[in-house]
Amino acid sequence: MAFINENYLKLRGSYLFPEISRRVREYQKNHPDAEIIRMGIGDVTQPLSPAVVKAFREGVEEMSRAETFRGYGPEQGYEFLREAIAEHDYRSRGTDINAGEIFISDGAKCDTGNILEIFGHNNVIAVQDPVYPVYVDSSVMGGRTGEYLDNGYFGGLVYMPCTAENNFIPEIPERKIDIVFLCYPNNPTGASAGRRELKKWVDFARNNKVIILFDSAYEAYITDPEIPHSIYEIEGAREVAIEFRSFSKTAGFTGTRCAYTVIPENLTAFTAAGEPKPLHPLWLRRQTTKFNGVSYPVQKAAAAIYSPEGKIQVRETINYYMENARVLREGLGRMGFRVYGGINAPYVWVNSGKGIGSWELFDKLLHEARVVCTPGSGFGPSGEGYIRFSAFAQRENVIRALERISSIYL
Ligand code: MLT
């Protein structure tokens, strides 16, 4: 007899985005002619930039000739890409990360879910509330939580409310924790964390032997020069933090798949006997066992974003999305919504200010305006009353969505 991993039975319904798709499909079935504007899932809409496509093609060409064909690549990623990342994303910003500390992967989603494998089951994990659901659901699947509770939390996890009152930056929990997931610029609230806030977390982690799992998948959307792009811009972070980044949102790779994770060589966690052990070899062992790397053409395409023309083209696309965010923020603000985020992140976090629940507002916008957003409560109880708009959209759709919403709200 084969037994299932019963931790999966603790999970709530389906993952958030399939549930949204289900409701949209249902609506579309009953209204086949309705033209729906989708601003729910944060999926990019603009094509890959020309420099990326050129490199991608060259990579495929190389694969088509025996002299330049490549089979398995290095599990940690090709040196040319890791070097480009170390130089352009870290050293050029004065941050001390070397290529050997970078692991190329096919997504920050996979890495933030899988990373827990190298940590013991006795760790107390803290998450922000609202939170990117992957951190919570992966903790549940791995048997690192208790049951789902009436208050919308899983037992065993420490939830840190992020509200308008604390600028969506959590307080350090009073309960002892061992691992904390932090995401800045934040998904879903669109909030960003300044140097002072991040330093508070790094100091806390150093003083309490806590590991920070820092998801900075949206760092390319930071517009304020004072906001750090990496946790490693904070002194001492190399001793306590793993950082996750992605080409998905930075360069339109959601369908192409490429990301990376940084594990500093001096970063340690402890055995039960209290002996410090470096985490880098554990993740290397995990990846070399379970992962065969990202395809060569994709890595070549990713490296092209660091070329002079690639940098300009990628920036143009980011600016396009951020202009969408501005249009959304201002338009929704004029309608009387309370609007947050959208300045250093491609997400706009919105509260009706009228006590309407998240799913209720989601359904109202779907049925009356034919606009899809993401209900904030799907990210955790502190998201109740909010909805999230993704700025990854065509400009004309953003404008039409606002017109439709204003016709039911003004
Ligand atoms: C989101 O909409 O929150 C993101 O698209 C999810 C993801 O990047 O996996």
Side-chain angles (χ1 to χ4, degrees):
M1 181 161 59
F3 299 95
I4 62 162
N5 175 354
E6 291 194 26
N7 293 307
Y8 278 65
L9 303 181
K10 297 178 193 163
L11 293 165
R12 305 309 296 161
S14 66
Y15 183 64
L16 173 62
F17 295 106
E19 171 57 20
I20 292 171
S21 304
R22 193 190 63 72
R23 290 192 188 212
V24 174
R25 267 198 316 275
E26 182 73 19
Y27 175 79
Q28 189 87 78
K29 202 172 79 197
N30 297 327
H31 305 84
D33 298 328
E35 192 214 340
I36 295 172
I37 300 177
R38 292 163 202 270
M39 298 171 75
I41 190 162
D43 194 4
V44 292
T45 56
Q46 298 307 102
L48 295 172
S49 52
V52 167
V53 173
K54 179 168 173 285
F56 208 164
R57 286 210 175 100
E58 285 167 5
V60 174
E61 272 302 310
E62 286 179 53
M63 297 295 269
S64 74
R65 290 192 300 274
E67 319 81 78
T68 46
F69 172 77
R70 295 168 191 242
Y72 292 126
E75 288 96 342
Q76 219 185 312
Y78 283 101
E79 188 70 19
F80 65 80
L81 179 55
R82 291 189 289 135
E83 262 306 331
I85 292 167
E87 177 57 31
H88 296 276
D89 286 348
Y90 292 102
R91 282 199 292 271
S92 70
R93 299 187 62 85
T95 312
D96 173 26
I97 291 294
N98 68 61
E101 296 175 316
I102 295 165
F103 294 81
I104 307 300
S105 78
D106 58 348
K109 179 179 188 171
C110 328
D111 283 359
T112 52
N114 292 331
I115 196 76
L116 293 173
E117 280 186 30
I118 65 169
F119 292 99
H121 275 77
N122 43 352
N123 287 296
V124 176
I125 300 173
V127 293
Q128 295 171 260
D129 168 28
V131 60
Y132 179 42
V134 173
Y135 318 147
V136 171
D137 287 2
S138 305
S139 303
V140 175
M141 290 170 177
R144 295 164 187 277
T145 71
E147 295 295 331
Y148 185 71
L149 307 173
D150 289 343
N151 61 4
Y153 289 161
F154 281 95
L157 286 184
V158 174
Y159 287 82
M160 306 181 295
C162 294
T163 61
E165 288 68 42
N166 62 17
N167 292 320
F168 306 101
I169 300 188
E171 311 305 328
I172 292 192
E174 280 163 19
R175 253 191 80 181
K176 174 192 165 303
I177 62 168
D178 305 297
I179 293 174
V180 58
F181 279 99
L182 291 177
C183 174
Y184 286 103
N186 186 255
N187 179 14
T189 63
S192 54
R195 200 165 291 280
R196 197 167 51 84
E197 286 93 4
L198 292 180
K199 182 173 174 345
K200 178 183 84 176
W201 276 99
V202 169
D203 290 348
F204 163 74
R206 290 173 86 186
N207 292 333
N208 295 277
K209 299 188 166 61
V210 166
I211 295 284
I212 299 174
L213 301 177
F214 192 74
D215 185 348
S216 64
Y218 298 95
E219 62 76 33
Y221 290 84
I222 292 172
T223 55
D224 179 345
E226 296 301 315
I227 302 285
H229 286 241
S230 163
I231 189 86
Y232 303 120
E233 289 178 40
I234 309 301
E235 195 192 334
R238 281 183 55 93
E239 296 160 30
V240 291
I242 293 177
E243 180 160 288
F244 305 90
R245 290 230 191 150
S246 172
F247 294 90
S248 284
K249 312 300 159 76
T250 304
F253 275 57
T254 53
T256 310
R257 311 306 306 153
C258 198
Y260 65 88
T261 289
V262 181
I263 306 191
E265 276 153 5
N266 60 326
L267 177 64
T268 56
F270 296 86
T271 63
E275 195 189 339
K277 291 279 181 197
L279 291 170
H280 187 282
L282 302 190
W283 187 242
L284 181 63
R285 186 71 172 83
R286 192 264 174 211
Q287 291 298 80
T288 50
T289 303
K290 296 194 179 184
F291 185 60
N292 263 334
V294 175
S295 80
Y296 172 69
V298 168
Q299 293 194 53
K300 253 196 94 115
I305 79 161
Y306 300 107
S307 65
E309 62 280 17
K311 277 186 183 170
I312 294 168
Q313 293 164 4
V314 162
R315 182 51 49 193
E316 275 167 10
T317 307
I318 290 170
N319 291 346
Y320 176 87
Y321 291 133
M322 288 312 282
E323 176 62 9
N324 285 348
R326 186 191 66 75
V327 171
L328 271 169
R329 270 192 301 115
E330 294 182 1
L332 292 164
R334 276 196 295 274
M335 290 177 224
F337 287 99
R338 294 189 196 138
V339 181
Y340 306 91
I343 293 174
N344 293 301
Y347 294 121
V348 181
W349 189 239
V350 180
N351 190 301
S352 71
K354 296 179 182 148
I356 306 175
S358 295
W359 279 108
E360 196 188 334
L361 194 48
F362 168 89
D363 283 334
K364 184 175 169 67
L365 294 189
L366 174 61
H367 289 258
E368 296 176 27
R370 300 168 323 281
V371 171
V372 179
C373 60
T374 306
S377 59
F379 296 101
S382 296
E384 183 53 275
Y386 287 86
I387 51 173
R388 189 196 74 177
F389 285 95
S390 158
F392 297 115
Q394 300 291 350
R395 179 74 39 76
E396 56 274 23
N397 282 344
V398 173
I399 293 166
R400 283 165 60 230
L402 287 172
E403 282 165 4
R404 291 184 188 179
I405 297 170
S406 72
S407 73
I408 59 172
Y409 262 94
L410 281 181

